[in-house]
Amino acid sequence: MQNTDLINELVITLQQHADENRAINAAKYMKEKFSFIGVDANTRKRIQKEWFIILKKEKKNIDRWEIIRELWEKEFRELHYVAIDWMNSWKKEELIEDDIIHLQWLITNNSWWDSVDAIASNILGIYFQKFPKQIAILENEWRYDSNMWVNRSCLIFQLKYKEKVNFEFIKSLTIQYQSNKEFFIQKAIGWSLRQYSKFHPEAVRDFLEEIDLKGLAKREAIKYI
C-alpha cells in the first residue's frame, strides 16, 4: 500500500469522529497556528493504535521517515501527534545515527512547544543516549542555530536523564542564553535547572548564586529548592 493511501485511510477514520467545536477550541488554544480535525486524544490514540498495526504489517514496503514527513506536512495537528506517538513506539534499537537529520527537520517545521517538547524530551533524548558522540552536534552547531526551537531542544533533551544529566552542558547553555528574552528559551532554562534540582539541589542553588539568574528562568529553576 502506498504512503498516501495509508495516510488517507487514517485521515478518513479520524474525520469520522470530528467535533467542530473541539477543532475550533483547539485551534484557539494553539493561537490559530494549526488546524484541527477535532478528535479527542483518547479517540485518536485508539484509532492510531490500529493504524500502527497496519504500518507494522507494511514494514517491509514503507519508509518510516517518509511516512513521518507526509504526516508532518499535513495541515491537521492531530496528524503531527500521530507521527510523534508512532516515533515514541519505536524501539531504541531501531534508531540509526542518520536519524538526527530527520529529527532536526521535525523540530524546525510546524514548530510549536507541544511538538518540539515531545520530540526533544523523548525521541531526541533517547537518540543521544544511544549515540552520545553525536552530542557534539549540539555543542558545536545546534546551540548556535538561529532557530529558537533548536536552541530549546538543546536545553530540554535531557529532561528524563535524571542523575545522568550533563550538568556542565546545561550550565554552559544557561550562561549562553541567559540574556535571551525569548519566553520559550527562558522557560526551558528554568525547566532544565528545576528538573536537575530534584536530584542535586545544592548544585543548582550554587550555580544560580554564581550567575545571578533572574526573571522567569529563575522562578522556574527554584521551585523545588
Side-chain angles (χ1 to χ4, degrees):
M1 190 179 294
Q2 296 295 314
N3 291 354
T4 301
D5 296 329
L6 286 166
I7 293 173
N8 284 342
E9 283 192 7
L10 172 64
V11 174
I12 290 170
T13 306
L14 289 170
Q15 288 177 329
Q16 290 172 350
H17 299 270
D19 181 313
E20 185 177 355
N21 287 330
R22 184 183 295 278
I24 292 171
N25 290 333
K28 286 181 179 178
Y29 178 71
M30 298 299 287
K31 301 187 182 299
E32 308 293 345
K33 290 183 176 294
F34 308 100
S35 298
F36 285 80
I37 295 173
V39 181
D40 67 88
N42 288 334
T43 300
R44 171 177 58 79
K45 289 179 180 179
R46 175 176 56 79
I47 291 170
Q48 72 185 30
K49 182 178 180 181
E50 297 299 319
W51 193 66
F52 293 165
I53 292 173
I54 295 173
L55 293 183
K56 190 172 183 180
K57 292 178 180 177
E58 294 282 339
K59 187 174 181 179
K60 293 182 180 179
N61 303 316
I62 61 174
D63 182 308
R64 61 179 184 168
W65 285 113
E66 285 184 4
I67 293 282
I68 292 293
R69 286 198 177 222
E70 286 195 36
L71 285 169
W72 212 256
E73 289 172 343
K74 297 293 184 182
E75 63 174 313
F76 298 120
R77 194 58 165 171
E78 288 98 337
L79 297 179
H80 307 164
Y81 298 153
V82 171
I84 291 169
D85 286 348
W86 187 36
M87 286 189 291
N88 283 331
S89 75
W90 298 348
K91 295 179 180 179
K92 186 176 181 179
E93 293 73 25
E94 295 182 76
L95 292 173
I96 63 173
E97 214 166 287
D98 286 346
D99 286 345
I100 190 64
I101 298 170
H102 303 292
L103 293 171
Q104 184 173 8
W105 184 86
L106 291 172
I107 288 168
T108 54
N109 286 273
N110 278 323
S111 311
W112 197 234
W113 63 266
D114 56 339
S115 59
V116 172
D117 291 4
I119 293 168
S121 64
N122 291 297
I123 190 74
L124 194 66
I126 292 171
Y127 172 88
F128 285 116
Q129 284 180 322
K130 183 174 182 180
F131 304 108
K133 290 183 179 179
Q134 288 289 83
I135 291 177
I137 292 175
L138 303 184
E139 296 172 335
N140 301 323
E141 298 176 25
W142 284 30
R143 68 184 299 169
Y144 303 111
D145 199 284
S146 60
N147 187 295
M148 177 263 293
W149 298 111
V150 173
N151 304 152
R152 181 174 169 93
S153 296
C154 291
L155 283 161
I156 67 173
F157 81 94
Q158 298 186 87
L159 284 179
K160 296 183 179 179
Y161 283 18
K162 297 183 178 179
E163 293 187 339
K164 295 182 179 180
V165 167
N166 181 342
F167 190 44
E168 292 304 313
F169 186 45
I170 294 297
K171 290 197 293 184
S172 69
L173 290 173
T174 299
I175 293 169
Q176 178 181 342
Y177 299 139
Q178 187 175 359
S179 61
N180 187 319
K181 297 186 184 302
E182 170 57 54
F183 170 85
F184 289 107
I185 295 299
Q186 289 298 308
K187 187 81 171 180
I189 290 172
W191 194 7
S192 62
L193 292 171
R194 183 183 72 204
Q195 193 70 6
Y196 190 67
S197 75
K198 293 178 182 179
F199 306 97
H200 298 285
E202 289 295 336
V204 173
R205 186 181 295 111
D206 291 346
F207 176 59
L208 292 176
E209 291 178 358
E210 176 187 329
I211 66 168
D212 192 27
L213 195 66
K214 291 181 171 59
L216 173 63
K218 183 175 183 178
R219 291 196 299 275
E220 289 294 323
I222 64 175
K223 282 187 176 180
Y224 297 139
I225 58 174

PDB file of all heavy atoms in Angstrom, residues 129 142 174 216:
ATOM      1  N   GLN A 129      21.248   9.211  23.951  1.00  0.00           N
ATOM      2  CA  GLN A 129      21.712   8.152  24.844  1.00  0.00           C
ATOM      3  C   GLN A 129      22.325   7.010  24.042  1.00  0.00           C
ATOM      4  O   GLN A 129      23.307   6.403  24.477  1.00  0.00           O
ATOM      5  CB  GLN A 129      20.546   7.633  25.689  1.00  0.00           C
ATOM      6  CG  GLN A 129      20.149   8.563  26.821  1.00  0.00           C
ATOM      7  CD  GLN A 129      18.999   8.008  27.631  1.00  0.00           C
ATOM      8  OE1 GLN A 129      18.069   7.396  27.100  1.00  0.00           O
ATOM      9  NE2 GLN A 129      19.039   8.226  28.935  1.00  0.00           N
ATOM     10  N   TRP A 142      23.944  23.104  17.045  1.00  0.00           N
ATOM     11  CA  TRP A 142      22.575  23.437  17.439  1.00  0.00           C
ATOM     12  C   TRP A 142      22.502  24.588  18.433  1.00  0.00           C
ATOM     13  O   TRP A 142      21.600  25.415  18.348  1.00  0.00           O
ATOM     14  CB  TRP A 142      21.887  22.206  18.028  1.00  0.00           C
ATOM     15  CG  TRP A 142      21.449  21.190  17.013  1.00  0.00           C
ATOM     16  CD1 TRP A 142      22.038  20.926  15.812  1.00  0.00           C
ATOM     17  CD2 TRP A 142      20.336  20.289  17.126  1.00  0.00           C
ATOM     18  NE1 TRP A 142      21.374  19.914  15.168  1.00  0.00           N
ATOM     19  CE2 TRP A 142      20.323  19.501  15.949  1.00  0.00           C
ATOM     20  CE3 TRP A 142      19.381  20.055  18.097  1.00  0.00           C
ATOM     21  CZ2 TRP A 142      19.368  18.510  15.728  1.00  0.00           C
ATOM     22  CZ3 TRP A 142      18.429  19.073  17.895  1.00  0.00           C
ATOM     23  CH2 TRP A 142      18.414  18.317  16.712  1.00  0.00           C
ATOM     24  N   THR A 174      22.899  27.739  29.816  1.00  0.00           N
ATOM     25  CA  THR A 174      22.228  28.761  30.620  1.00  0.00           C
ATOM     26  C   THR A 174      22.977  30.082  30.545  1.00  0.00           C
ATOM     27  O   THR A 174      22.374  31.147  30.369  1.00  0.00           O
ATOM     28  CB  THR A 174      22.131  28.301  32.090  1.00  0.00           C
ATOM     29  OG1 THR A 174      21.356  27.097  32.154  1.00  0.00           O
ATOM     30  CG2 THR A 174      21.471  29.368  32.952  1.00  0.00           C
ATOM     31  N   LEU A 216      11.786  34.849  34.747  1.00  0.00           N
ATOM     32  CA  LEU A 216      11.078  33.587  34.555  1.00  0.00           C
ATOM     33  C   LEU A 216      11.978  32.379  34.752  1.00  0.00           C
ATOM     34  O   LEU A 216      11.589  31.405  35.412  1.00  0.00           O
ATOM     35  CB  LEU A 216      10.471  33.552  33.141  1.00  0.00           C
ATOM     36  CG  LEU A 216       9.837  32.237  32.701  1.00  0.00           C
ATOM     37  CD1 LEU A 216       8.648  31.886  33.587  1.00  0.00           C
ATOM     38  CD2 LEU A 216       9.415  32.311  31.230  1.00  0.00           C
TER      39      LEU A 216
END
